[in-house]
């Protein structure tokens, strides 16, 4: 075959980068592996629609793979598998390495919160015979996407006595559903003339939850009372218990395989549960690593990584501190600084994939494409790389080699055209502490929408990337 190639063809092969769909490069057996892996991923999406639920599922998966809670260890040695849960919303897993922590760790960090609607502290009200919940959106949403679709309620209510009650309504087939209504087109002339961002307003994102009045002439808000009576019977709560509740409204859709060829996954919350699931599965397969491998699943990324369950909290440092003590490593000055300076991280977060329908906002030569593997963003940020962690070329070179040597399909990309796109992840937080960090995640279509789309090939390659990195 090679004899028939022209000089130009040979040169092209040697010098130029080839872009092809990963599906064309793999065997039938590998396709099967990808399908199987993504069946597990789809289950994860359906069972983990909130950060709390993701932590619960992650804990189960971790325990069934030999991880034990930090407090169970009196001493840590190479090969031990340990996890720590912060307030039920944030989990850190580690496989202890041969080398001292001081030499650095291999960290993959993803987030498990997703854009959604939260209940306000005083959510329940009645208007013209309807009962509603008032909501406050969380993270970057397009508000018009949240009306006229089935909504489920997930969360907790913590009663005054401290008892926590889990809430999960609207997922099962025989469950009820909830919805935020929209105006019929026949009467929406003015609404339709508004800008897309103003067509549905935040204060109008009120969830419809009831319509039957409580039968008593003496009562003023009969529908509201009737709903509260039902909630009281079901959860033992009274209206003031909403003050200490966290009820998250999420799309009730089930995640599914997408397309006649089943090549993609459609589901809510893939930003960033795709990277959470793939990094979790990867660390479960790490045995006796050289350097300690860490998988970090954090909360609050969508609102700026703030708060005591987000990346900006010192939870990770505290965790490392505990490991140092349990490993009996000498506590020399600045040891924490040295861990950070010697560590490497993949900031595992999704990337906005190239969508031909919206091609005008992307630079075709630097976008991420479905089927080309995990996406590496050397930098994010906006405008002149503002606020970006710009990964060093030396680090990128090391990763290129690692991924090539291990047949991990990857692509270098950026989020949107210059001055058009831009975004942030948790990358800069660890980079600011001295780590080598690069954004490395799965390309996603319709990112931040109620029903995001990913490529099964890229999902699998993300998992493979995290695995070879931590190994
Ligand atoms: Mn994200
Ligand atoms: Mn996001």
């Amino acid at each position: 075959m090679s004899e028939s190639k022209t000089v130009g063809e040979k040169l092209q092969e040697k010098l130029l980068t080839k872009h092809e769909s990963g599906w064309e490069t793999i065997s039938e057996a590998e396709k099967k592996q990808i399908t199987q892996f993504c069946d597990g991923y789809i289950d994860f999406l359906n069972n983990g629609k909130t950060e709390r639920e993701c932590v619960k599922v992650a804990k189960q998966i971790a325990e069934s793979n030999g991880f034990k809670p930090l407090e169970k260890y009196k001493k840590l040695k190479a090969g031990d598998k340990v996890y720590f849960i912060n307030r039920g919303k944030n989990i850190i897993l580690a496989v202890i390495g041969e080398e001292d922590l001081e030499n650095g760790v291999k960290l993959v960090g993803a987030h498990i919160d997703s854009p959604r609607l939260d209940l306000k502290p005083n959510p329940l009200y009645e208007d013209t015979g309807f009962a509603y919940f008032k909501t406050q959106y969380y993270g970057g949403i397009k508000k018009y996407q949240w009306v006229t679709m089935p909504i489920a309620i997930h969360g907790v209510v913590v009663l005054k006595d401290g008892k926590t009650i889990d809430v999960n309504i609207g997922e099962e087939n025989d469950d009820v559903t909830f919805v935020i209504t929209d105006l019929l087109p026949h009467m929406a002339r003015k609404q339709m003339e508004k800008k897309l961002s103003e067509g549905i307003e935040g204060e109008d994102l009120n969830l419809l939850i009831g319509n039957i009045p409580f039968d008593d002439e003496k009562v003023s808000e009969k529908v509201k009372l009737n709903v509260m009576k039902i909630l009281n019977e079901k959860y033992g709560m009274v209206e003031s218990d909403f003050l200490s509740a966290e009820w998250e409204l999420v799309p009730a859709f089930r995640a599914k395989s997408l397309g006649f060829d089943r090549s993609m996954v459609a589901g809510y919350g893939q930003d960033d549960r795709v990277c959470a699931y793939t990094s979790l599965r990867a660390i479960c397969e790490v045995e006796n690593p050289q350097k300690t491998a860490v998988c970090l699943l954090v909360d609050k990324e969508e609102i700026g990584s703030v708060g005591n369950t987000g990346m900006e909290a010192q939870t990770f440092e505290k965790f490392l501190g505990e490991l140092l003590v349990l490993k009996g490593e000498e506590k020399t000055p600045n040891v924490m600084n040295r861990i950070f300076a010697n560590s490497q991280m993949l900031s595992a977060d999704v990337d906005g994939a190239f969508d031909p329908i919206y091609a005008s906002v992307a630079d075709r030569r630097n976008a991420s494409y479905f089927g080309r593997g995990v996406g590496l963003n050397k930098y994010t940020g906006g405008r002149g790389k503002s606020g970006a962690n710009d990964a060093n070329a030396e680090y990128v070179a090391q990763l290129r080699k690692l991924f090539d040597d291990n047949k991990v399909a990857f692509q270098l990309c950026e989020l949107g055209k210059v001055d058009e796109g831009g975004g942030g992840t948790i990358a800069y937080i660890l980079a600011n502490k001295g780590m080598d960090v690069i954004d490395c995640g799965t390309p996603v279509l319709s990112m931040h929408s109620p029903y995001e789309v990913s490529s099964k090939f890229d999902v699998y390659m993300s998992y493979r990337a995290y695995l070879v990195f931590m190994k």
Side-chain angles (χ1 to χ4, degrees), residues 111 115 271 301-302 349-350 447-448:
H111 67 92
D271 175 7
E301 192 276 344
E302 296 295 355
D349 207 344
V350 297
M447 213 177 115
H448 277 215

Side-chain angles (χ1 to χ4, degrees), residues 5 9 12-22 24-25 371-372 410-411:
K5 279 183 185 156
E9 279 176 320
Q12 175 180 285
E13 209 164 90
K14 190 176 160 197
L15 299 181
L16 300 186
T17 308
K18 204 160 130 196
H19 297 295
E20 61 189 345
S21 168
E24 294 176 89
T25 65
R372 289 192 191 166
F410 69 97
Q411 45 188 330

Side-chain angles (χ1 to χ4, degrees), residues 111 113-115 138-140 271-272 299-305 349-350 447-448 452:
H111 67 92
D113 60 319
S114 295
Y138 171 100
D271 175 7
D272 184 32
D299 180 29
K300 299 283 187 279
E301 192 276 344
E302 296 295 355
I303 57 169
S305 295
D349 207 344
V350 297
M447 213 177 115
H448 277 215
E452 302 172 313

Side-chain angles (χ1 to χ4, degrees), residues 8 54 109 113 215 239 241 259 261 275 277 296-297 311 313 331 352 364 412 415 450 470:
C54 286
D113 60 319
D215 188 13
E239 188 183 6
D241 289 322
D261 56 7
C275 298
Y277 181 70
L296 190 54
L297 304 183
M311 192 66 242
K331 285 213 268 175
R364 281 180 183 266
L412 258 295
L415 186 62
M470 286 191 283

